[in-house]
Amino acid sequence: MKKLQFFLGVFLLSLGIYGQECPSLTAPIDGAVNVAVDTSISWESIAGVTGYIISIGTTPGGTDIVNTRSVGSATNYTPPLGLPENTQIYVTITLFFLGGLPDITCPSESFRTGSVTNPPSCTTLSNPVDAATGVNISNNISWNYAPTATGYRISVGTSPGGTDITNNLDVGNTLTYNPPVDFPPSTTIYVTVTPYNAIIPNPTCSEFSFTTGALATLPSCTSLISPLDGAINVPLTPFLEWTEVPNATGYRVTIGTSPLLSDILDEGVFTNNSTFVLDFEPNRTFFITITPFNAAGDAIGCVQESFSTILGCGPYFDAVTGELTTLNPEIDFPDEIGICLNEDSTTITATDVAEGYRWFRLGPGNSETLISSTAEVNLSEPGQYIYEAYNTVSQSGGTVECPTSKEFTVVVSESPTIDNIRVSEEVSGIRIETVVSGVGSYEYALDDISGPYQDSNVFRNIARGTHTVYVRDKNGCGIDEETVVQDLTLEGFPKFFTPNGDGVNDYWQFIPPVATGEINVLIIQIFDRYGKFLAQVEPTSQGWSGRLNGRLLPASDYWFRAISTDNKEIKGYFSLKR
């Protein structure tokens, strides 16, 4: 773990060399105009960043609207008091990382808000809520943001419409009010909050009320003992403990993945000052608020604390490459493995670099049966299997295992058997086609048992003479070979003829070799360039006249296919000239 933190530190300190990607605004986009004053702001997510801090102001890098607010790993934020109208707004995103490493402040992007043309709507109480009972006499009053409001007036009294505590006080653009004195105990309190902006008239809003509890002493706030506020490398199943408050009867605990969320625990009530939390996500910052309470109410002004979990398997930044990496091993394993027929088993050895290995056989319903926990496995049956390699890393709270796995298929193979070698003559040489039988995946080589091998069973443009064909199983189950001799030539087949009726070379026909006079051809077929059959001639006939159904065919190249007396195929082409 210390090594990982060192790498992270070196990476961030070397940002001047490698550079760090900064997020761009996605809504509103940089340069947008006429943006609503109650807009939410969102930006791109950046891989490897622990969390984000947002600042909003009316100047580049300014913080006069929102001052460095941490939002955890969230990539959006809604300003709690909205934005001023007709104003250029600048948003600055700061990236922060685990381990106390330096923050990275990105360049500001900006947009301009539009004009407000309507008065705001009314708001609602957020604390205490309307009709609440047992409210502490020292409680503050807070309410929700009213879109387009630039300020609020509040009246508070002990009777409907009353103003004996506060009379139409302008509290400005804030969402809370601290009364000048404590509320009377066991009393119904009436509250009217009126939002306003520059548009007249202001809305007429309904009155809210709540009832205070009996006179009692509120508990004080508490603080985390384990983990401490700001701690890093916290175990994924931590024991949370906080300072015990003597007069508290319980604690309300809220945990979220950003300061504005309660997605992990929402005001869970505990009577003790400790609890276990199961299965936190690795490499994240969590925000926790603990509020003690008793019969007098909740403690007031308790602050939010935070901690970050261990890195787990990553991803984290590698300072050497400047890239995002993980602790999981990289594996290179085929989709298919062959085992040899009639052998007891085939031994497969993992070649990937890892600290440990596992092999599983997949059964019905994708059930997994462990068959080996070393780098080697003996396979004897076809089917589906899983290969897994893993590394381990010691981190706070124990050892974390980081696996990478691959599902593969085992098939049965056997040694090939060459059934036939088909040899045919072509213009540029001979064509050799190998016919093989057997169960397996085979490859082919010519004249050299060491290869190179090819997947195709056809060899073209081969010199006439003696050749040996080799066929081997790709899974190493055997090899077969056969030698062929090919001495046929294209001798005796004219390259062209001129069917113009002058009595010279008017027919195309096989001419026996002068040396032997032997007619070693049984039959000849003629085709056009598109493979259409045109004629068949006997080697002892006059030959082909260049006609089809009595019609003269055009000057062009034509193909022939001849079968020799020893059942060999000879192919070639010739020209018809006019």
Side-chain angles (χ1 to χ4, degrees):
M1 174 55 65
K2 290 182 179 178
K3 184 177 180 182
L4 292 180
Q5 292 176 352
F6 171 77
F7 280 166
L8 283 165
V10 173
F11 170 77
L12 291 169
L13 291 173
S14 63
L15 287 174
I17 300 174
Y18 294 110
Q20 168 65 49
E21 181 183 4
C22 278
S24 297
L25 292 181
T26 57
I29 61 173
D30 187 32
V33 295
N34 293 322
V35 175
V37 296
D38 59 341
T39 189
S40 291
I41 299 171
S42 59
W43 54 92
E44 298 171 326
S45 175
I46 301 299
V49 174
T50 305
Y52 306 90
I53 298 170
I54 187 171
S55 295
I56 307 174
T58 55
T59 59
T63 60
D64 48 306
I65 297 176
V66 174
N67 185 8
T68 58
R69 180 65 183 266
S70 174
V71 297
S73 57
T75 56
N76 58 80
Y77 177 74
T78 302
L81 297 174
L83 300 170
E85 64 175 326
N86 290 325
T87 303
Q88 193 72 21
I89 304 297
Y90 294 86
V91 179
T92 305
I93 303 297
T94 298
L95 313 179
F96 71 90
F97 301 84
L98 291 174
L101 299 170
D103 296 342
I104 300 173
T105 300
C106 297
S108 299
E109 294 188 347
S110 69
F111 56 86
R112 188 168 188 83
T113 55
S115 299
V116 173
T117 58
N118 296 308
S121 57
C122 291
T123 184
T124 56
L125 289 186
S126 59
N127 184 38
V129 296
D130 188 31
T133 58
V135 176
N136 188 268
I137 61 173
S138 300
N139 210 88
N140 292 342
I141 298 173
S142 60
W143 53 92
N144 297 307
Y145 168 62
T148 76
T150 58
Y152 302 85
R153 294 185 179 89
I154 185 169
S155 293
V156 185
T158 54
S159 61
T163 60
D164 50 308
I165 296 177
T166 302
N167 183 13
N168 199 32
L169 177 66
D170 187 343
V171 296
N173 194 16
T174 183
L175 301 178
T176 61
Y177 172 61
N178 184 10
V181 295
D182 288 345
F183 298 122
S186 304
T187 302
T188 298
I189 306 298
Y190 297 87
V191 179
T192 301
V193 179
T194 304
Y196 66 82
N197 59 23
I199 309 301
I200 305 294
N202 295 324
T204 300
C205 298
S206 301
E207 190 174 57
F208 306 102
S209 67
F210 57 87
T211 302
T212 57
L215 187 62
T217 303
L218 285 174
S220 60
C221 290
T222 183
S223 59
L224 282 173
I225 298 174
S226 176
L228 292 171
D229 183 30
I232 63 171
N233 300 327
V234 174
L236 302 183
T237 303
F239 180 69
L240 300 184
E241 185 177 10
W242 52 92
T243 304
E244 185 177 5
V245 177
N247 64 335
T249 58
Y251 306 87
R252 304 187 202 281
V253 179
T254 295
I255 306 175
T257 54
S258 90
L260 307 178
L261 295 178
S262 55
D263 50 329
I264 305 301
L265 184 63
D266 188 6
E267 291 198 348
V269 175
F270 298 88
T271 56
N272 296 320
N273 64 319
S274 62
T275 183
F276 272 105
V277 178
L278 298 178
D279 297 332
F280 273 134
E281 290 184 60
N283 197 24
R284 298 219 42 185
T285 298
F286 295 89
F287 299 83
I288 180 169
T289 302
I290 305 172
T291 304
F293 65 89
N294 59 19
D298 293 350
I300 297 174
C302 296
V303 298
Q304 190 176 68
E305 299 177 278
S306 67
F307 56 84
S308 299
T309 52
I310 59 176
L311 284 175
C313 297
Y316 68 93
F317 279 109
D318 189 323
V320 177
T321 65
E323 296 179 350
L324 203 63
T325 188
T326 66
L327 298 177
N328 307 71
E330 294 184 3
I331 64 175
D332 182 15
F333 199 81
D335 295 328
E336 185 176 284
I337 292 290
I339 58 177
C340 298
L341 196 66
N342 301 323
E343 291 188 8
D344 291 338
S345 65
T346 300
T347 300
I348 304 298
T349 302
T351 59
D352 303 309
V353 178
E355 295 180 17
Y357 308 88
R358 297 188 189 95
W359 306 82
F360 300 90
R361 172 72 188 270
L362 283 178
N366 285 329
S367 60
E368 298 178 5
T369 301
L370 179 66
I371 57 175
S372 175
S373 55
T374 69
E376 291 187 350
V377 64
N378 292 321
L379 302 175
S380 58
E381 296 181 0
Q384 295 299 116
Y385 293 79
I386 292 178
Y387 159 64
E388 180 180 87
Y390 64 89
N391 292 327
T392 59
V393 57
S394 296
Q395 298 176 337
S396 175
T399 300
V400 176
E401 188 176 284
C402 303
T404 304
S405 62
K406 170 70 176 292
E407 183 175 338
F408 65 97
T409 303
V410 172
V411 297
V412 173
S413 292
E414 64 178 335
S415 179
T417 298
I418 297 177
D419 295 329
N420 189 22
I421 301 290
R422 296 172 181 167
V423 181
S424 58
E425 288 275 356
E426 295 182 335
V427 176
S428 56
I430 63 173
R431 176 183 184 272
I432 299 176
E433 179 182 357
T434 308
V435 180
V436 177
S437 62
V439 178
S441 180
Y442 302 131
E443 55 188 0
Y444 306 81
L446 192 65
D447 297 330
D448 189 345
I449 195 171
S450 299
Y453 281 82
Q454 65 182 39
D455 290 334
S456 175
N457 67 331
V458 175
F459 296 92
R460 291 181 178 274
N461 303 325
I462 305 302
R464 298 168 182 84
T466 302
H467 298 280
T468 302
V469 177
Y470 298 93
V471 184
R472 73 180 181 186
D473 177 59
K474 291 183 178 180
N475 296 304
C477 295
I479 190 168
D480 195 12
E481 65 180 79
E482 185 170 326
T483 299
V484 295
V485 177
Q486 176 63 15
D487 56 6
L488 288 176
T489 69
L490 292 177
E491 183 181 1
F493 294 95
K495 293 295 184 182
F496 69 93
F497 77 118
T498 57
N500 54 12
D502 63 357
V504 179
N505 203 23
D506 284 337
Y507 294 88
W508 185 86
Q509 176 59 285
F510 170 73
I511 302 173
V514 175
T516 64
E518 179 185 0
I519 300 177
N520 59 356
V521 174
L522 296 175
I523 197 168
I524 306 169
Q525 294 174 328
I526 300 172
F527 306 84
D528 67 11
R529 64 168 61 184
Y530 304 107
K532 179 181 177 181
F533 175 74
L534 301 177
Q536 180 171 302
V537 297
E538 302 292 334
T540 57
S541 69
Q542 188 177 28
W544 184 49
S545 65
R547 296 172 179 266
L548 177 63
N549 297 325
R551 177 173 56 88
L552 295 176
L553 293 180
S556 183
D557 290 335
Y558 293 85
W559 290 85
F560 70 89
R561 174 179 177 269
I563 303 299
S564 69
T565 54
D566 57 355
N567 203 33
K568 300 296 185 179
E569 184 180 63
I570 307 169
K571 291 182 178 180
Y573 70 95
F574 61 92
S575 298
L576 187 159
K577 299 181 180 181
R578 292 194 184 277

